[in-house]
Amino acid sequence: MNRFLISLICLFGFLSQPAFAQDELGASGPVPQGAIDSAIDRGVDFLVKDQDLDGSWRFHTDVHRTGVTGLAVYTILKGGLSKNHQAVQRGLGFLNVCEAKTTYETACMILAYSEADPVRYRDRLQELTDLLVEWCNGEWAYPHGARDLSNTHYGTMGLRHARKLGLKIPAKIWKRIGKAIVRYQLSEGGFPYRPNGKPTQSMTAAGVGVACMVLEAIEDSGFSSNELYRDLDQVVREGLVWFDSNYNLHEVPWPGNLTEVRWNFYFLYALQRVGMLAPVDKIAGHDWYQDGVRFLIKKQKDRGNWGTANGDGQADTCLAILFLVRASGPSTGSKVAGKRVFRTEDPESDMTIVVAGEKPMRVWIESFDELILDSYEWPGEEGKGLRIHSVQYWHGDSLLAEVSGDPSQPAGNERYPARLLFNGPGPREITAVVRINLPEGNEAEELELRSTPLPIEVTIGLLPWMREAIADHSKNLLRNTKVSCSASSSLSKHWDKQRVSDGLMGRGWVCAEDDSAPEITLDLDKAQRGNVLLLTHASEAGHDPDAFARARLVEIRINKMKPFQVEMNLDEGRKTRIVLKRMQKIRRIRFRLIDLVPGKSHKGAGGFMEVELQMVKGAR
């Protein structure tokens, strides 16, 4: 690509560029990296907490079943989590049992698998790549319906990742995409959502980004002197010129974006791709990255998320984080995985201990309190350390590790490191217990020192209920037949009765607030033989726990058999497993909710995220 011309355009573009308001951009000068890292960490923490029971993220799962889950897995990996993190493993588990049906979800699954473990998932990656190739004639649709630049943007992005992994992609595909993107560009240099429409910032960034990705593929193939290459180079240059008069962190109003905020985060994600692949330090005379950083830090919400009035918090948070980590850069752009280090902060603790790493986690003594050293170092051994018999590391009443010392001499700089192994993720508290030899003249020969308990968070591994939730998706017999649902009431169209059997934990059925006898009936088009029912309380995403009412008891009637009652697990994050007395043919199931525990946001509205039916041999 003609990088010199692009640089000139970016250097002089500011001449026609209106200035940003100071309150929009914040103070001048680069934003401290610590502030950027903090924003990324808070965003990643939000996504981890917002994950649903089945490992998915719920935004638009009714249309793009795996789309935002693929995007979220990719994002938290780029944001610093490792592939062993429980949220990553659960997300991958959900993707593994789902079929890609749209361009968006196929591309996002490629992003997730390529970032997580491209060797392990190579066959799946090739299958997904083949789908994108099959659906592409230079542009992409959903794949059904009219083709558009947004789908084309994601389709090209997916193929770019596949190409970098050496997956099989016909060379002609890149030519088709390149010719299509040349046709998309309007005479003034901007890009519309569909041909001959109105140019927008987000679509222009997407169009220029697609041109950059195709140019990259052509360059790598060694044919950078052909006519298409020159045309695409011109597309990039004219697109950057268009931004000279249209650069703004807010999308300007246009049909479908009248609130000026709906596509801001999509635009920034597309903009960073332009900035990283062109590559340019400035767009329209602006430091595009610092502008975006200041904008995003200002717009980040209290829970760590980003979002618009349309409630797209999960997707928007992903796009914001991917901008901040510059995800399209020539290197991964990722923060270092396993970055979390836990250290004793209590000044009254006898010692400071450190826990770091991931698989396994490691613990060691960083230092002893100076008053402890002054009190118990032996005469003539000042500054050489304590005489240590042993160091034990405990979690509550469980001894995790023990390291022997040599009490005949001072320990010096020995740190007594040990490996910590846990049976799954979750919070822990680590305490070090050190047995030392006391100098002569003390009443006792030995003394036990203790650190203040150090809270840590174990993130790797899967607990049994996590593994079961991943496996349940493929075992659900209701996925094998059409299910018609009828209910006494529904809270809203978002919590409609039919969602209780859609195979997803992102949405379910919730009754109306004033429903005094809530019940729901499932009629199966084709009877299924099963012996285990799984019920999950309706719930909002992880940031809003216990929002809905939860039934203590549920009355169940199968076909026309005698009803029976079961006691529900009140934890909305766990399933209630009901083993029937025998394997039986089931065509109708009715559930009646009894004795509801009021929710925090909805006192009387309760229901189920999902009803599942399984056939489990020997179930108890």
Side-chain angles (χ1 to χ4, degrees), residues 52-89:
D52 280 316
L53 183 60
D54 59 0
S56 69
W57 280 264
R58 66 179 55 181
F59 176 67
H60 264 353
T61 49
D62 54 338
V63 180
H64 307 288
R65 195 178 191 92
T66 62
V68 78
T69 299
L71 185 64
V73 170
Y74 175 65
T75 299
I76 60 180
L77 285 165
K78 297 295 275 186
L81 301 190
S82 85
K83 65 180 182 181
N84 296 311
H85 192 284
Q86 58 88 9
V88 174
Q89 290 300 307

Side-chain angles (χ1 to χ4, degrees), residues 204-335:
T204 300
V208 174
V210 170
C212 287
M213 287 186 278
V214 177
L215 279 167
E216 184 183 62
I218 295 174
E219 287 176 342
D220 289 349
S221 68
F223 294 101
S224 59
S225 61
N226 65 21
E227 182 180 353
L228 178 59
Y229 181 92
R230 293 191 293 273
D231 289 345
L232 288 169
D233 189 49
Q234 182 71 16
V235 164
V236 173
R237 288 188 278 120
E238 291 181 1
L240 290 171
V241 168
W242 184 87
F243 274 115
D244 289 349
S245 302
N246 296 279
Y247 178 78
N248 195 316
L249 293 188
H250 277 304
E251 275 270 32
V252 296
W254 58 278
N257 188 48
L258 298 178
T259 62
E260 299 188 49
V261 297
R262 185 172 185 181
W263 305 111
N264 286 344
F265 302 100
Y266 180 103
F267 165 57
L268 286 175
Y269 180 44
L271 185 69
Q272 68 83 30
R273 184 165 293 104
V274 175
M276 297 304 293
L277 298 184
V280 289
D281 293 327
K282 293 186 176 182
I283 295 177
H286 284 276
D287 185 329
W288 60 269
Y289 181 70
Q290 288 295 324
D291 284 357
V293 165
R294 283 191 284 270
F295 175 86
L296 289 173
I297 288 178
K298 179 179 178 181
K299 296 296 183 183
Q300 191 170 24
K301 299 183 180 182
D302 291 342
R303 292 196 299 261
N305 63 309
W306 288 267
T308 69
N310 295 276
D312 305 348
Q314 293 177 348
D316 287 339
T317 299
C318 290
L319 299 176
I321 293 170
L322 292 173
F323 177 93
L324 293 175
V325 301
R326 292 188 257 208
S328 297
S331 60
T332 64
S334 305
K335 298 177 69 190

Side-chain angles (χ1 to χ4, degrees), residues 104 139-140 146-153 180-210 235 238-239 242-243 246 251-252 254-255 263 266 270:
Y104 284 121
E139 307 165 61
W140 277 272
R147 301 177 184 277
D148 62 71
L149 184 51
S150 181
N151 273 294
T152 300
H153 182 210
I181 209 66
V182 171
R183 292 194 301 269
Y184 253 93
Q185 191 171 35
L186 301 172
S187 58
E188 63 266 40
F191 283 82
Y193 178 63
R194 289 198 172 104
N196 302 315
K198 182 179 179 180
T200 67
Q201 292 162 267
S202 57
M203 287 299 97
T204 300
V208 174
V210 170
V235 164
E238 291 181 1
W242 184 87
F243 274 115
N246 296 279
E251 275 270 32
V252 296
W254 58 278
W263 305 111
Y266 180 103

Side-chain angles (χ1 to χ4, degrees), residues 348-362:
E348 299 301 318
S349 179
D350 289 347
M351 70 204 77
T352 296
I353 64 172
V354 177
V355 176
E358 180 191 67
K359 193 179 183 181
M361 299 185 86
R362 295 185 179 276

Side-chain angles (χ1 to χ4, degrees), residues 98 188 244 316 341 467 479 519 534 537 602 620:
C98 292
E188 63 266 40
D244 289 349
D316 287 339
V341 175
R467 297 183 187 277
R479 298 172 64 229
E519 65 175 56
L534 298 174
H537 290 293
H602 301 276
R620 295 180 179 178

